[in-house]
Amino acid sequence: AVVSTQSTGMCYTEAGLYYTGYRSKTQKGVVCQNWRASSPHSALNLFSGEGVGNHNYCRNPDNDPNGPWCYTTDKKRRFDYCGVPKCKWNVDCYTEKGALYRGYRQKTAGNSY
């Protein structure tokens, strides 16, 4: 059967919009700023309700094609990408809503066409 998978902490799918891993450092090793914090960067609650919350984990609330990112604790760099690798496709699974599924299944789970 074709089953849904969620993005894991190890990798992201598509552009990473639904990435929910626990990486909290940028690709350069800088600690991410809490999404609800106002220091060192202020007015960051632009993405309230977009999967961000009271944590500093990497996310991709604006569906950036470069993948998950975060605001940084470095005063000189507002945001950076987290270097989360993109997942390899598995034709036995679909991701997120299945829009990009390119598998070869020809029957439903109930064996009907």
Side-chain angles (χ1 to χ4, degrees):
V2 179
V3 296
S4 175
T5 61
Q6 292 293 320
S7 295
T8 67
M10 302 301 292
C11 61
Y12 70 91
T13 57
E14 296 177 16
L17 181 64
Y18 300 107
Y19 172 76
T20 57
Y22 298 104
R23 186 169 294 198
S24 59
K25 289 186 179 179
T26 69
Q27 58 193 352
K28 295 177 182 169
V30 178
V31 173
C32 295
Q33 177 179 316
N34 187 301
W35 289 93
R36 292 189 180 170
S38 59
S39 177
H41 306 288
S42 61
L44 301 181
N45 255 344
L46 302 172
F47 301 108
S48 179
E50 300 291 332
V52 298
N54 191 19
H55 59 75
N56 70 332
Y57 305 132
C58 300
R59 295 291 182 260
N60 193 0
D62 61 347
N63 209 22
D64 187 309
N66 294 306
W69 58 273
C70 69
Y71 292 107
T72 78
T73 53
D74 180 346
K75 292 179 183 179
K76 295 179 181 177
R77 184 152 182 98
R78 185 169 173 86
F79 84 98
D80 198 3
Y81 299 100
C82 295
V84 177
K86 191 166 186 169
C87 298
K88 294 182 188 269
W89 290 104
N90 181 345
V91 297
D92 290 326
C93 298
Y94 71 88
T95 56
E96 296 166 28
K97 295 184 180 182
L100 298 178
Y101 173 71
R102 299 295 181 263
Y104 299 99
R105 298 285 175 164
Q106 297 176 351
K107 295 181 180 181
T108 66
N111 282 329
S112 59
Y113 293 92

